[in-house]
Each structure stands twice: as C-alpha cells, then as structure tokens.
Amino acid sequence: MAVLSERMISTFVVIALICTCTLAVLEGPNVCTRQDTYKITVKVSEQKPYTIRENTWCLSFPPRCSKYKVVFKTIYKEQEITKQKPVEECCSGYTETTSHDRCIPICSKNCRHGICIAPDVCKCESGYGGPLCDFKCPLGKWGGNCQEDCMCQNNATCDPFDGKCMCARGWKGKYCDQTCSPDKFGQDCGEQCRCRNGGSCHHITGECHCAPGYTGPLCDDLCPAGKHGNECKSDCTCQNGGVCIPTTGDCFCPPGWMGSVCAHRCPEGFWGRNCSMICDCYNGGDCHHVTGECQCKPGFYDDKCLKICPKDKYGVNCTEECDCRNGATCSATNGTCICSPGWEGEKCEKRICEDGVWGENCSKVCQCDQNNTEFCHPWTGHCICKAGWDGETCSRTCPLYTYGKGCQEHCNCKNNAQCSPINGTCICAPGYRGDDCSEICPENRFGEDCVQRCACKNGAKCSPEDGRCNCTAGWDGVLCDRPCDDKSFGKDCANKCNCFNNASCNPQNGTCTCAAGFVGELCKDRCLKGFFGHGCTQECDCHPENSIDCDPRTGRCICKPDWRGIRCETKCPEGLYGEDCHSQCNCMNNSSCDPDTGNCICARGWEGPDCSQPCKQGMYGVRCKEKCPEKKHGNMTCDHVTGEYVCRSGYMGLTCEHPCPPNRYGLNCAHHCYCKNGGECHHVTGKCQCMPGWQGELCQTPCQQGTFGVNCTQHCKCQHGRCRSSDGHCRCSRGWTGIRCTEICPEGYYGDQCMEPCECKNDFFTCHPAEGCICRYGYTGENCDEQLFSRNVQQKEESGYGSMIAGIFAAIIVIAITVTAWFYHRRRVADLKNEIAQVQYIADPVPDRNQFDNPVYAYQGSSRYDDGTTTLLNNRQIRNDLGTNKNVNNERVKLGFGVTIEEDDDCKGAYGLQYDLKNRDADLGNPNLNVYHSIDEMDGKKVEHVYDEIKQNESEYDHPDHPRPLSTTWKSQYHRMPNGTGPKTEDDDAGPSQLKDKDPELGET
C-alpha cells in the first residue's frame, strides 16, 4: 500500500504540471475553465501471505521436528484510476485567435462598417448604424429616409438606424442631457470615481476636485504644513509650533500654548497639552509651560524647588558663584554677603579693626607672625596663615608632606623629595627627576635634575644620587680607572689574592697566572725536573751527564763541577773550545761553542749562527722556543731574553695588569704624588682625583659654601642651614629641622636640632623655634605680662570720645550764639556804629568788595587744648600788643609764631598762644585794650563782644553784603588801630601782620 501511495502522489504531480502548462496558454478576458475527466493505469503493490515449513531440534527420535510459520511477500498488479483536470477554453460566444493566446467575440453576421465587440454585437464606425453597421445617414439625421432629427445633446451622436443617442464621455440619459453621478465618470458613466476623503471627480475626465483640507491626484493627501482650505490655498496663522486643521484652519496647539492662534502661554501654575496639567513646584517656583519643569525662584533648586542653594551658590538655579570673603554667608537669593563678626564691606573684605588689633573694641593685640600671616581675624584674633604656614601664630611651616592654604593639600613627592609647603612643587633629591620625582636619572646621568654626566670607566655605573662610581670586578678608584693592586681582586678589590711565587693575580676573578717555573692553581708547584718556563712546558736542553738540572724559570743549565757552557757541554774556559781548548769561540752574547764542532750554542734569548740575533717577535728564552705571555698592557712585544713586558706608564706586574702602588705614578711607577684629604693619585698621569667635598690641584680646597660632591659640582638645597660638602647633608640653623631644613621646630621645642624643650613661665610667653621662650607679640616685661599697646589703644579710644563730645558742645554753642545774635542784632548795630569810628578805612588801594573781616573771628585757639568750638566757628584772635618790646620775638609771640621746639615745650599748659599767662590776664582785665575776644572766651568770662557779625543787608559799613573770608591775611584798607592790633606797613619788622597761625582743620600747614 505504501508503494501505491507513492506512485499516486507522483502521478498527481505530473498531472498538475500538465494542467499548469495548459492554463498558461490563454490570457485576457472571456476565458472559461471546465473540468475534464480522464483515466490512468498505475501499478500498485500488496502483501500476500504464504506458509513455509522449517525443521527444528526437539525431544523426539530422531531429534528433528517440523515447524510451520506464515510469511508475507510483495506482489504488484495494475489498477485504473479516474481523475479530473481543469481545462481553459473560450467562453460561449468567443473563440481563440489564430495564435491561441486570447479569446475574441463571434458575430454570426459580419459587421460591415464596424467591429465585433461582443457575441453578435457590432460597434459601428462613425456615421453608420444598424445591427450590422450597414445603415448611414447624414450627421443629425436618422430614420428610414434619414428624415428624423436627432435629439441628442452635449456632442452626442444618434444611431442613424433607430435614432438612439450615443452619449459622449461624462453624459447619460435618453438624450445625453444628464451628467454622470458623482461616483461615476467617462464613457457611458462606466468608470468608477476613485477620489477619496469626500472629493468629487469630473464627470468627463475623472479629475478629482478635493474637499477642503485635501490635495493630491486622488485627494488622499492632507494639505501641506501651513496650508488649509479649498485647494490648500489658505495660509495657517498658528504660532509657536501650532498645527492648523487642514479642513477648517483651526489651530491645534502644542503643549504649553493656548489661544486661537496658540499665541498665549499656559496661565501660571499650569502646563502641558491644553494647559491641563497642574504645576508641582514649591517655594514660589513656577513651572515651564511646555515641559512642566520647575523654574525655581532665586535661591532654590531641585526638581520641585525644595532645596536651598548650597554654600557659595546663589541666584536662579544656584548657578552664580558667591564672592563673599572671610567666612561670610551668602544670600541664596541675590548673593548679598552677610558678614561674620569683625568684617564689613560689600564682600566682607574690610576689617572693622585696624591691622594688628582685634576684638569687640579693637583693644586686643594680634599675636600673628606678620611675615607669614595673611591677616589676623578682627573678631577672634585667629591667625589666617599664608600658604605654606601653620601654627597658632603662623610661625610654623606646614607639617611634613603637606602644603597650601591651611596645609590641607597632601604632597605626592616620591623618593625622599622635598615638597614646597607653599604650592606642593616637588624638589627632587639628587638622582631623580619628574613632576613627582619618581623617575630615576637615566644611565650616565646623576645629581640635581640629572644634569651631571657620569665619568665612570671600564663598564662601571654611577650612582644617580651623587655620581659615585660602582666599579665592576677588578677595578678601583674614584672613576674606576685603576685596576686592583697585586694583592687583591674582585668586586671593590675586596678579595685577597692567594697566588704564590710571584704569580700574577687576575684583578677580575683572582685567577693565578704563574710565573715561569711554577704550575698549579695557586702556582705553588715547581716544575718537574727536566722542564721549565711558563706552564713548565719547555724541556731543559742540558747535557744529561754533565748537568745536575736546569733552572725551572729560565731553563739555564746547572752544570756539575768543572763543566761549563750553555748546555754544560765543555770544560773549556769561556770563549774557548776544542780538544785542548785552544780554539777561539766567536759566539756572541755570552753564548758557548760546541766542544767538538765549534758551532754556537746560543744563550737564552738569542739565535743565529753566531747568536747575534734576538728572538723573533713573540718568542723568547732558550733557543727562542718560548712564547710571550698574553699581554694586557704594554708595548708590542716582550723581552726576548726574560719574556717580561715593558709596562706602559702607570702599570706593573708580570703582564702589566696592576697599577702603580698608591701615591706613585708614571713610567716604572717612579714618580711620587702628594694628594691631600684622601685624594687619589691617578696611576698614569699623577693627577689628583679628589674625594667628594674637595677640589684643587692637590685636593687641598674644600667646596665653596652651597656646593658639594665630586668636584663640587652639585648645589646644596638646604633652605635654612648649610650642607656638608662631601654628601650635601644639611646642617640646619637653630630652629629648623628636616632633610632640607624646611621645617621649623615642633611646637614646644627649639634650638640646635630642635633638641631643647621650651619651659615657659606662663601663657604670655611663646616658644620661639630659635630663641626659646620669648614674650608674645604686644607684651613685654620680665614675665611678659605687660601690654605694649594698651596705653596707645586707650588714648586712642579716649581721644575719639573726647572729639565727639567737643563736636556736640561746639554745635550747641553755635546755635546759642545764632539765637542770641538774632534777638539783639538791632541794638548791636547801633552800638557798632558808635564804636566803628575807631576804625579807619582807606580806599587806596580800592577796597576788595568781596571781603569783609570781622575781628571777632580773627583768633584761632591752640589745637592742644581747644575743645573744637573755635575750629568749628573758624575764629581767629588777634593778640593785644601791650607794648612789651623786651626781645626780638615779641612781635612773633603776639600771634604765636616763630617759637622753637624748646620754647614750645616750655609753654605747655598755656591758653593756646605763646605768651605768658600774666600778660593774658592783663589783657582780659583791661576793657580798653582787650577789644577782641573769641566767642569761647566771652562765654567763659562773661565779657560782652565789642564787635559782632552783622546781617549782610542791614549795615552800610564793612561791606555787609559780602561774605567773610576764611583767610587771615589783613587787607590793606584796614589800618592799625590805636591799640596796635592793626597790620603793619611794609616797612615794619616781620610781625603778626605777616604771619598767621596754620589751621589744620582747614588743611593749612
């Protein structure tokens, strides 16, 4: 059955494909579909059962039994199936075209002057009519004889056969006198109008006429932004982002706006769409009419204006910075400064007390160190220190690794760098650099700011701090240019050499280089018999029977008694050979001759037939067979006899590997050095290499103050002390401590190294870091309990109080005098006319019409005891001349001028002028002479005024219509009166007429 199903599915697919191909043939209208029945034959499979027999083991005899079972096999058979398929064909009345792709209508009779448009329906050409389009009449006529008139309208034509109107596009009705309905247009009103949104279409063309607010070919678009109405020709008048309704033009306002054209904001307290949301702001704050965000009043902030501006902020949204000083509080609303006690001014920047004092009455003296203090608080006396200073009186620098105003900032300096207490700048110790002194000097640089260049040699590295050379193994000296001596080796030449028998010790690793004749690690072992030289590699060349041995160092043969010669080969005396020793030996350089042949046997270091030639370069010794040792210093070859090198200047040793001993230098170390103060003598040049802290040719001069180190090239950084010339270590002055002497002694300690404790008697003392217990500023005495400035402060306070009382008293006197003058001026005018006869007026020169001098105002009392009344009234008094001409100063004394300092001291307590009290009393008691008095004198003595000021418009004398001058200079028209108080002439001696008192109240000096 499964196979049958599979085959049926495959068949159906094939049929569907065939049907699809068939349906795809005809296109266009008038195509109909019918179901066509057909049959197909298919093979189907089925399972057919059958029985089979099997043999199996069993308990019988024989032990084989039969067993049956049913099995299935697949068989196939043919089966016929009926199916249907869709078939496309032309509908009734239509037939296929010759190309079999479309269906066209069929007219049973031929359309003569037209075309077949539907089954048996002809569409006639213009001017023809009838079912077969074979009838024709003139235009506007119809009927059998074309006698009938057409009644069609609007450009319609009538059928010439039956007179039926054929309407033009957009018209309908029997006579084509009706337009298409609003939803129809076109030929025979057969087209459906597609205009949308209430738009109507033209009955002929179908063009859409849109309703107000719409536009577009089909009226499916709203008016563009800013337009509305018919054909979207009207402009919108909405403001503030409002959108107008396209149909009516009414404004649709955005949130926060209202009104017919969206011109009005929401009323206070409302916001949002249609201004329907209520503001949620406090402390008088309003909200934004659009977003509802709170707009706080000055002094408040936060989402709901619940928070007051933080400290140092004010204004709208707390964006303004307060500029109040000295602890003043700032009004959060307008930034006005509310001064703390002791301050005044717009920004509270002015002290109420003068500098140096504080307190409610400015009576207390500030204790601050003036050099280190910005100001003394005028109310509390607290010292406000400058940046970098600390302590109760600003006499201590900031604690270690703090800086700035109030020492609140923490330094970030590394590697023992000094931190400036003022601005925190790191002052790097030698060997470091960078903003925080974290960078070590680069290689071959050292010292302050890493500007010094290292001079170390032979691979040595210098200390970045002081430039000291850290020598590699085998080197020594200030610059590591001196090898270890012959007794030491290794790092810092600290290891002792253990080589024996004059062996050379390698300065780097201590390896022994044995001298000729010795071997072994420490060169303890002598060469075996028969061998000699370096490494004992050379065989002795001696006559075996005539010699005892050879020298292990040189290979020289040690002959038995009576034997001579280089090899102990002869008994002949030196220079002879032969059987009887009669032959002369001509070998040179102490060489010997063979006793038989006379051939030369060359001495050590020589070769050639007559032994006259030295060994070739690089060879030496017996028969020139020994190689020169590896050279380290010296000339190009070794000695051809001994193998020793000729060392260059400053070196010694087997291979010239060791320097000259201390204090010796030069070739063969023959010269002496005289370096002082630990200076090292250079083994080659003899130049003294000074220890740190010394300089000069012989290192005899210490570094100048302010420098230290090698060659005195580094600069001290001790701010309050001196540095040690060797390493720059600071030795602080009294009162200072710290690595760079930048810290003042801690509170309670003073002196050298701040080791001495202060034990002051009382609180009037303060502990000075250098001197110990001293009086606080403003105090003195043995116990420092006497104020220096208390008397001055008290006098200042009393003086101010007295001046105020004097001013009030003077004002009262002026008022009293004015009232008195008002009531008595008429009577006084009459008296003045009688008295004025004593005054003479001269019109030459012409009187100054702008001046009027009244003698009553001619006296100026002494400023020393004046209570201020005379100054307030601008009075001046002219002293009477009693005719006392006892000395040359009488005229000057009369008006108080020309008195020396000593005279002024002698006249203390006088009534303000420098004339004696006796004369003054006489003047007061003599009414004839004492005609001028000051107002205060008249008030005190009850003496009537001889003259008084006159109202300007009531006197014909003394120019009453002009003001009285302030000047005390006498006018020329006023002459001296009989009592001598008038001015002198030009011929008179210098006296009162030429001098006047200076009035400090008027700015005169």
Side-chain angles (χ1 to χ4, degrees):
M1 291 297 293
V3 175
L4 178 61
S5 299
E6 292 176 359
R7 287 177 177 255
M8 290 177 66
I9 291 172
S10 301
T11 303
F12 288 150
V13 170
V14 171
I15 293 172
L17 291 174
I18 295 172
C19 293
T20 302
C21 294
T22 304
L23 290 174
V25 173
L26 294 175
E27 296 179 353
N30 307 311
V31 177
C32 296
T33 304
R34 64 180 177 83
Q35 296 294 327
D36 190 16
T37 301
Y38 66 97
K39 293 182 179 181
I40 61 172
T41 302
V42 296
K43 282 187 177 182
V44 295
S45 64
E46 61 180 16
Q47 300 291 321
K48 182 176 182 180
Y50 66 94
T51 304
I52 62 172
R53 188 182 70 176
E54 295 180 345
N55 292 324
T56 183
W57 297 98
C58 61
L59 298 176
S60 64
F61 186 84
R64 297 290 289 177
C65 299
S66 297
K67 182 179 179 181
Y68 296 90
K69 69 176 181 179
V70 178
V71 296
F72 292 88
K73 66 179 179 180
T74 301
I75 62 175
Y76 297 95
K77 65 180 180 178
E78 292 183 349
Q79 184 176 355
E80 192 176 69
I81 299 175
T82 302
K83 291 182 177 294
Q84 288 184 338
K85 63 179 179 179
V87 177
E88 288 184 346
E89 61 183 7
C90 292
C91 297
S92 176
Y94 293 88
T95 186
E96 295 181 1
T97 61
T98 56
S99 59
H100 304 289
D101 58 350
R102 288 186 303 116
C103 295
I104 58 175
I106 301 174
C107 290
S108 58
K109 295 182 179 181
N110 186 28
C111 298
R112 296 183 181 181
H113 296 284
I115 59 173
C116 183
I117 61 172
D120 292 328
V121 178
C122 294
K123 182 180 180 181
C124 302
E125 296 177 0
S126 178
Y128 289 90
L132 300 180
C133 299
D134 54 356
F135 193 82
K136 182 177 181 181
C137 285
L139 185 65
K141 297 294 183 177
W142 69 280
N145 297 320
C146 297
Q147 296 178 352
E148 300 293 333
D149 292 327
C150 290
M151 303 298 292
C152 301
Q153 301 177 17
N154 297 310
N155 297 323
T157 60
C158 64
D159 190 297
F161 178 74
D162 54 11
K164 182 180 179 181
C165 291
M166 292 177 289
C167 299
R169 288 178 177 273
W171 298 96
K172 69 177 182 176
K174 183 177 179 180
Y175 299 109
C176 299
D177 55 351
Q178 300 175 10
T179 59
C180 295
S181 60
D183 60 338
K184 300 290 184 177
F185 76 97
Q187 187 69 45
D188 300 327
C189 297
E191 300 291 336
Q192 186 71 33
C193 185
R194 298 170 59 193
C195 300
R196 302 174 184 173
N197 298 310
S200 61
C201 63
H202 194 274
H203 63 286
I204 298 175
T205 64
E207 180 184 2
C208 293
H209 178 70
C210 301
Y214 293 94
T215 186
L218 300 179
C219 302
D220 51 359
D221 297 326
L222 289 173
C223 288
K227 298 291 184 178
H228 74 92
N230 288 328
E231 299 182 4
C232 300
K233 291 182 178 181
S234 300
D235 292 327
C236 292
T237 59
C238 304
Q239 302 177 17
N240 299 307
V243 179
C244 69
I245 299 174
T247 55
T248 64
D250 294 337
C251 292
F252 183 75
C253 298
W257 299 95
M258 59 184 295
S260 60
V261 293
C262 305
H264 303 293
R265 298 187 181 206
C266 291
E268 187 174 355
F270 294 90
W271 67 282
R273 178 77 65 184
N274 299 323
C275 300
S276 58
M277 306 296 291
I278 300 176
C279 293
D280 189 19
C281 304
Y282 298 88
N283 294 311
D286 193 9
C287 69
H288 193 276
H289 61 290
V290 177
T291 64
E293 181 181 356
C294 289
Q295 296 173 330
C296 304
K297 293 288 185 182
F300 298 93
Y301 75 107
D302 196 23
D303 293 341
K304 297 184 178 181
C305 305
L306 289 172
K307 296 182 180 180
I308 302 175
C309 287
K311 185 180 179 182
D312 297 332
K313 297 285 185 179
Y314 77 94
V316 178
N317 294 327
C318 305
T319 57
E320 301 293 332
E321 293 282 348
C322 292
D323 192 16
C324 301
R325 303 172 187 175
N326 301 310
T329 56
C330 170
S331 170
T333 304
N334 54 22
T336 302
C337 297
I338 304 171
C339 300
S340 57
W343 299 95
E344 60 184 1
E346 181 180 355
K347 299 180 181 179
C348 303
E349 76 280 8
K350 299 178 181 178
R351 294 165 47 93
I352 61 172
C353 296
E354 295 182 358
D355 293 341
V357 293
W358 64 278
E360 185 174 1
N361 297 321
C362 301
S363 59
K364 299 180 181 179
V365 179
C366 292
Q367 303 297 316
C368 310
D369 187 326
Q370 297 180 358
N371 295 328
N372 308 327
T373 307
E374 282 194 0
F375 61 84
C376 166
H377 196 285
W379 192 256
T380 64
H382 179 68
C383 300
I384 308 301
C385 303
K386 292 180 180 178
W389 293 91
D390 196 14
E392 182 181 354
T393 59
C394 300
S395 58
R396 299 287 191 270
T397 53
C398 287
L400 188 63
Y401 281 101
T402 60
Y403 72 95
K405 190 68 177 293
C407 303
Q408 296 298 314
E409 304 293 335
H410 291 276
C411 298
N412 190 31
C413 304
K414 297 178 174 60
N415 296 311
N416 204 29
Q418 177 187 351
C419 170
S420 170
I422 298 176
N423 54 22
T425 302
C426 295
I427 304 173
C428 301
Y432 298 93
R433 66 181 183 181
D435 292 339
D436 58 354
C437 303
S438 59
E439 182 182 352
I440 302 177
C441 287
E443 191 174 356
N444 294 325
R445 294 283 183 175
F446 75 97
E448 300 171 4
D449 301 323
C450 305
V451 298
Q452 303 286 337
R453 185 179 295 275
C454 295
C456 303
K457 299 179 180 179
N458 298 306
K461 293 183 179 180
C462 73
S463 167
E465 289 88 357
D466 55 14
R468 290 178 183 266
C469 296
N470 184 17
C471 302
T472 56
W475 295 95
D476 195 7
V478 175
L479 301 180
C480 300
D481 57 352
R482 178 186 180 89
C484 295
D485 59 29
D486 57 352
K487 299 292 190 291
S488 59
F489 73 95
K491 180 70 172 175
D492 299 327
C493 301
N495 300 322
K496 185 177 181 181
C497 289
N498 295 318
C499 302
F500 295 88
N501 298 309
N502 295 322
S504 174
C505 174
N506 185 289
Q508 280 77 38
N509 53 32
T511 302
C512 297
T513 302
C514 298
F518 296 92
V519 292
E521 183 178 0
L522 301 180
C523 303
K524 288 183 177 181
D525 303 326
R526 187 177 180 276
C527 290
L528 297 177
K529 186 175 181 180
F531 294 90
F532 73 97
H534 287 287
C536 300
T537 58
Q538 303 294 322
E539 293 185 8
C540 295
D541 187 18
C542 302
H543 196 287
E545 297 178 358
N546 304 332
S547 62
I548 300 174
D549 198 358
C550 74
D551 188 292
R553 294 184 299 104
T554 64
R556 183 180 61 83
C557 294
I558 303 173
C559 302
K560 291 181 179 179
D562 299 330
W563 288 95
R564 298 182 181 87
I566 299 301
R567 299 181 62 249
C568 303
E569 75 281 1
T570 181
K571 290 185 177 181
C572 294
E574 185 176 352
L576 299 176
Y577 76 95
E579 185 176 355
D580 297 325
C581 299
H582 292 302
S583 299
Q584 184 72 30
C585 181
N586 296 320
C587 298
M588 303 174 67
N589 296 311
N590 297 321
S591 300
S592 61
C593 293
D594 185 277
D596 297 325
T597 64
N599 294 333
C600 290
I601 302 173
C602 295
R604 185 176 176 220
W606 299 95
E607 64 182 355
D610 56 355
C611 301
S612 60
Q613 300 175 2
C615 295
K616 295 180 176 61
Q617 184 174 344
M619 307 299 290
Y620 77 100
V622 178
R623 296 187 182 181
C624 298
K625 291 183 177 181
E626 296 183 70
K627 290 185 178 180
C628 292
E630 182 181 355
K631 60 180 181 293
K632 294 185 178 179
H633 304 280
N635 56 16
M636 297 302 293
T637 184
C638 62
D639 187 270
H640 64 98
V641 177
T642 63
E644 295 180 354
Y645 281 102
V646 178
C647 296
R648 68 181 177 92
S649 178
Y651 290 91
M652 56 180 289
L654 180 65
T655 57
C656 303
E657 72 274 27
H658 297 296
C660 292
N663 296 325
R664 299 185 73 89
Y665 74 97
L667 189 62
N668 298 323
C669 303
H671 301 284
H672 290 271
C673 287
Y674 299 97
C675 301
K676 300 179 180 179
N677 299 307
E680 183 179 280
C681 173
H682 193 276
H683 57 289
V684 177
T685 64
K687 182 179 179 181
C688 294
Q689 296 174 329
C690 301
M691 296 296 289
W694 296 93
Q695 60 183 343
E697 184 178 356
L698 300 178
C699 304
Q700 75 279 12
T701 306
C703 290
Q704 294 182 357
Q705 182 62 32
T707 61
F708 72 95
V710 178
N711 296 326
C712 305
T713 56
Q714 300 195 63
H715 297 280
C716 296
K717 290 188 177 180
C718 307
Q719 294 194 10
H720 300 281
R722 304 176 66 179
C723 74
R724 192 160 55 198
S725 60
S726 59
D727 55 7
H729 177 76
C730 293
R731 180 68 171 85
C732 300
S733 303
R734 289 177 59 87
W736 295 90
T737 185
I739 298 176
R740 297 289 182 267
C741 301
T742 57
E743 303 167 39
I744 296 180
C745 290
E747 199 74 46
Y749 291 87
Y750 76 100
D752 189 24
Q753 300 296 323
C754 303
M755 298 298 293
E756 302 178 48
C758 284
E759 297 178 355
C760 303
K761 296 180 181 179
N762 52 48
D763 292 339
F764 293 106
F765 286 90
T766 184
C767 182
H768 190 277
E771 302 175 13
C773 293
I774 61 172
C775 294
R776 289 183 179 272
Y777 180 74
Y779 290 88
T780 186
E782 184 178 354
N783 295 321
C784 297
D785 54 359
E786 299 178 15
Q787 277 190 287
L788 285 173
F789 304 103
S790 61
R791 180 178 303 175
N792 293 341
V793 174
Q794 183 178 2
Q795 287 178 354
K796 178 180 177 182
E797 292 176 352
E798 292 175 353
S799 175
Y801 180 75
S803 298
M804 181 176 63
I805 296 300
I808 295 174
F809 181 68
I812 293 173
I813 291 177
V814 171
I815 295 172
I817 291 173
T818 304
V819 173
T820 303
W822 176 260
F823 286 105
Y824 293 100
H825 72 280
R826 295 185 181 275
R827 185 174 60 85
R828 301 307 257 167
V829 168
D831 292 341
L832 181 60
K833 289 180 179 181
N834 294 329
E835 295 290 344
I836 203 66
Q838 301 179 38
V839 182
Q840 298 179 9
Y841 294 87
I842 299 174
D844 184 20
V846 178
D848 186 356
R849 304 296 290 181
N850 294 322
Q851 300 291 339
F852 172 72
D853 286 351
N854 192 330
V856 174
Y857 296 94
Y859 168 72
Q860 171 64 50
S862 171
S863 61
R864 181 174 304 173
Y865 295 97
D866 188 9
D867 61 1
T869 304
T870 56
T871 301
L872 181 63
L873 295 176
N874 199 27
N875 291 345
R876 291 191 180 273
Q877 184 184 45
I878 301 176
R879 294 298 178 186
N880 294 331
D881 186 2
L882 299 181
T884 57
N885 296 320
K886 297 180 179 180
N887 55 60
V888 294
N889 287 329
N890 282 348
E891 290 295 317
R892 298 172 61 85
V893 170
K894 291 175 184 177
L895 294 179
F897 297 107
V899 182
T900 63
I901 296 175
E902 292 77 14
E903 291 170 338
D904 185 69
D905 293 338
D906 294 339
C907 294
K908 288 181 180 178
Y911 191 69
L913 290 178
Q914 287 68 21
Y915 70 101
D916 57 50
L917 293 175
K918 182 176 180 180
N919 291 342
R920 180 181 177 278
D921 291 338
D923 288 346
L924 293 175
N926 189 343
N928 294 324
L929 296 177
N930 190 26
V931 294
Y932 303 104
H933 294 278
S934 65
I935 295 174
D936 56 342
E937 288 177 352
M938 294 179 68
D939 183 69
K941 298 293 185 177
K942 304 300 182 182
V943 180
E944 292 184 352
H945 297 286
V946 178
Y947 296 99
D948 201 343
E949 287 197 40
I950 308 171
K951 298 295 287 183
Q952 293 183 2
N953 59 352
E954 293 190 5
S955 176
E956 57 187 5
Y957 304 101
D958 294 340
H959 313 293
D961 53 347
H962 298 293
R964 175 177 55 84
L966 295 178
S967 174
T968 59
T969 305
W970 288 87
K971 305 301 177 182
S972 58
Q973 64 264 32
Y974 299 109
H975 284 218
R976 182 187 299 274
M977 291 190 287
N979 59 5
T981 32
K984 287 187 178 183
T985 64
E986 294 180 356
D987 297 332
D988 292 339
D989 295 335
S993 62
Q994 298 174 355
L995 300 173
K996 63 177 180 178
D997 285 331
K998 305 298 183 180
D999 188 355
E1001 294 291 328
L1002 297 176
E1004 298 175 355
T1005 56

